[in-house]
Amino acid sequence: MNILCAGLNYRTTPLALRENYALSKEKLEKLLQRTHRSGGVSGAVLLSTCNRTELYASSICPVQTFQHFQSLLEEETGIALPLYHYVEPKAISHLFRVASGLDSMLLGETEIFGQVKKAYSFSTEKGTITKTLHRLFQDTFRVAKRIRTETQITTGASSLSSVAVELAEKIFGNLHSSRIMILGAGEMSEKTARRLQSRGVRALIVSNRHYQKAVTLAAEMGGMALHFDHWEKNLADIDILISATGAPHTILTVEKLKSSLKKRQGRPLFIIDLAVPRDVDSEVNKMEGVFLYDIDSLEHLASATMQMRRQEISRCELLIEEHVREFLSKKFSRKNFFYSF
Amino acid sequence: MLEQFPLLISTLCYFLSCCSTLLGLSAGKFRPQRFPLFAMIIGVLAQSWFLLHQGKFHHSCPIHTLPEIIIFLSWAIGLFYLLIGSTYRVSLMGVFTAPLILGLQAVALLLPFESFKDVAHFNPWIEAHAALSLIAFGAFGLASVSSMMFLIQEKELKSQSPSSLFHYLPPITTLEVVTKRLLWLGFFVLTISFALGFIASPLVLGIKFLLSVLIWGSYGMTLFLQQKHYFSSHRFAWSAIAVFSFALIVVPLVRYNIDLSVR
């Protein structure tokens, strides 16, 4: 019994075509059962995410299974697309790479691990899993966890908004008691604030030159709108300031901040300046308890993270190779030989 | 020499813990590992073994000679780390604690292990006073470690291009809370220790008394200024380090002075 992997992903298929392969739960179940029933297949797991649709199967005749899966997909979606397919040992290392985030669009992302787990649970629930596949997926989870803890492939934040969240958490720890103020209702500031909100930020204030825009955004995000003339008075009560106004000059200076810092009773203040030209005077960063990050420093941090992750790829590949060898030797050992059927 | 065997094991453990961290740092990337923590647990156990042996030998708390005092202090720091580090999940605290303990133990090993002249009757109040003082300094020592971590993390955050260490260091607010609680704990234990000292001998004067009051007062003032928000977190951290460093220099000098006066 050979392990096979067949499918398509963001590398082989553009989004415009890939979106046709986004299957509903019902369709996914139907496809899984039909694949499982096809000749030579003893077990099957279907992984369907926005970036990939893949089949992992144990089959006596991998080529036949692959062709059958291709025709089934064509039937379900009405579109014929070329699929890649791998057999042992490539199929195994591919699954290990996928679950570890090495094959993800955003290198090292961890969401895929949960998606692989979900696909495995779904197949277990539907009875389409074999002992070989069960062992393969258990090993996959072990490898992914090992890679996560022993390498830096998942360390750091890789987008501007996630860098902002990481920095906020390194200042305040838990964000549940933090309050944010957005200055300027732009797309970037909204995205960053939403990311912070998803980490449990307590309160949100939106201030904009056009008050109505602030009201709309505040209502959308469950926050409070504030007239632009009053934002300075509220500086003492907030923990994170996201500034992205279209002002041609700095709107926050050391002098303006000094008086509100006295009222803050030593609480740190995190300022995210997303505006170009910058809204906040860079001298502000020299003040005690104030941490200022502009768009350049956030981008620098995000790219440094990606560079660090890229440097870790070779270490991850070595770990994967080791686990593939281990899996195959277990599979073909006399004790487990019969399990492969 | 045989009685120093556990001490050598303990020093070796702290040395290996430090080496493991230095190797990680020299590779350009820092990754937390389990080995340094494991080495520190063995280190604390070996110190306990040594102190137990010395205690049995003296039939009292093993804090009679300067090396013993230093080892007792480093044992207290190690023990507080094992309690606090896991309670607050303060990652990397061991990385900073191990070098401090290693330095203290190295000094203790370099000093001559003079044979302590047995005194027929120990005053239990004095014993409790001295032991509690050292335990308080264990808390102060760990507070200075967390303050150091605070200053490093603060510098990383201010730099706008932090190194890989930044990802593993705890949030600055957590470090400040840990420092504050350790200082309060140390201050509370030190106050009790002083009270016991007064019970033992109400009329104390001299350089030891004055310096002790100065250290106690400095910690009290630091905590008061922080509580009333006169001190920023940055200054609070520096203050915790400065007072502990002062105590580290002064306590052996006072001890040396006492030893000289006894002779």
Side-chain angles (χ1 to χ4, degrees), chain B residues 74-142:
Chain B
S74 56
W75 170 78
I77 296 173
L79 204 63
F80 271 117
Y81 159 68
L82 292 181
L83 292 171
I84 298 291
S86 56
T87 307
Y88 289 95
R89 293 176 178 271
V90 187
S91 58
L92 290 204
M93 197 173 225
V95 169
F96 292 84
T97 311
L100 174 67
I101 300 178
L102 180 68
L104 288 170
Q105 291 226 142
V107 171
L109 279 169
L110 287 172
L111 289 169
F113 261 70
E114 67 234 72
S115 55
F116 172 72
K117 289 174 191 73
D118 214 355
V119 179
H121 300 289
F122 287 111
N123 185 339
W125 294 111
I126 295 280
E127 292 256 310
H129 156 74
L132 283 177
S133 295
L134 287 173
I135 288 171
F137 278 104
F140 293 145
L142 201 62

Side-chain angles (χ1 to χ4, degrees), chain B residues 190-203:
Chain B
L190 192 64
T191 311
I192 293 175
S193 149
F194 281 1
L196 294 177
F198 279 118
I199 293 173
S201 57
L203 291 168

Side-chain angles (χ1 to χ4, degrees), chain A residues 107-299:
Chain A
L107 181 67
E109 59 103 0
T110 50
E111 206 180 331
I112 187 70
F113 181 77
Q115 289 164 331
V116 173
K117 257 192 160 175
K118 226 174 173 180
Y120 163 74
S121 306
F122 189 67
S123 296
T124 311
E125 205 181 289
K126 301 298 164 196
T128 65
I129 209 130
T130 57
K131 275 189 176 161
T132 308
L133 282 181
H134 168 74
R135 279 165 184 243
L136 173 67
F137 276 86
Q138 290 308 316
D139 271 25
T140 303
F141 303 140
R142 201 145 39 91
V143 176
K145 277 179 193 164
R146 196 174 160 199
I147 284 177
R148 205 190 295 175
T149 49
E150 290 183 20
T151 73
Q152 289 184 309
I153 200 75
T154 57
T155 307
S158 48
S159 67
L160 289 195
S161 51
S162 54
V163 167
V165 170
E166 192 186 12
L167 287 166
E169 285 179 337
K170 286 293 177 194
I171 296 169
F172 303 103
N174 194 324
L175 297 181
H176 284 104
S177 57
S178 303
R179 281 174 281 204
I180 318 179
M181 186 197 278
I182 302 178
L183 281 183
E187 193 190 330
M188 271 298 291
S189 51
E190 183 191 334
K191 210 173 162 186
T192 310
R194 279 196 194 277
R195 196 74 191 244
L196 287 162
Q197 257 189 331
S198 72
R199 302 305 282 248
V201 162
R202 197 176 87 188
L204 174 84
I205 301 167
V206 185
S207 187
N208 197 59
R209 277 191 205 281
H210 302 287
Y211 182 65
Q212 201 46 48
K213 226 175 164 183
V215 171
T216 313
L217 185 61
E220 264 177 41
M221 298 183 70
M224 195 180 85
L226 185 77
H227 279 284
F228 200 72
D229 303 336
H230 299 149
W231 71 266
E232 279 175 53
K233 289 174 196 159
N234 283 268
L235 265 180
D237 302 320
I238 57 149
D239 303 295
I240 303 166
L241 173 70
I242 305 170
S243 187
T245 71
H249 49 78
T250 53
I251 57 166
L252 186 60
T253 56
V254 173
E255 285 70 36
K256 278 185 186 172
L257 201 55
K258 250 181 195 168
S259 56
S260 53
L261 274 188
K262 276 178 196 158
K263 295 176 204 155
R264 296 184 60 76
Q265 300 195 319
R267 276 183 302 122
L269 176 66
F270 179 33
I271 304 174
I272 307 165
D273 186 359
L274 299 172
V276 179
R278 287 175 294 177
D279 281 342
V280 187
D281 181 4
S282 57
E283 288 297 303
V284 157
N285 193 44
K286 289 179 185 161
M287 298 172 85
E288 269 185 25
V290 181
F291 302 93
L292 169 68
Y293 279 77
D294 58 28
I295 200 149
D296 263 10
S297 47
L298 291 175
E299 257 165 15

Side-chain angles (χ1 to χ4, degrees), chain A residues 150-152 155-156 166-167 169-173 265-266 268 285-293 297 300-301 308 311-312 315, chain B residues 29-32 153-162 164 166-174 176 229 231-235:
Chain A
E150 290 183 20
T151 73
Q152 289 184 309
T155 307
E166 192 186 12
L167 287 166
E169 285 179 337
K170 286 293 177 194
I171 296 169
F172 303 103
Q265 300 195 319
N285 193 44
K286 289 179 185 161
M287 298 172 85
E288 269 185 25
V290 181
F291 302 93
L292 169 68
Y293 279 77
S297 47
H300 171 77
L301 268 175
M308 181 173 73
Q311 283 171 352
E312 290 294 281
R315 288 187 69 231
Chain B
K29 289 171 210 162
F30 185 81
R31 268 178 221 106
Q153 184 69 309
E154 188 193 41
K155 193 170 176 278
E156 292 279 338
L157 283 163
K158 283 270 185 192
S159 74
Q160 299 184 332
S161 54
S164 62
F166 154 84
H167 299 292
Y168 300 109
L169 278 168
I172 50 167
T173 37
T174 307
E176 193 188 354
H229 306 293
F231 253 8
S232 65
S233 309
H234 181 83
R235 281 179 202 179

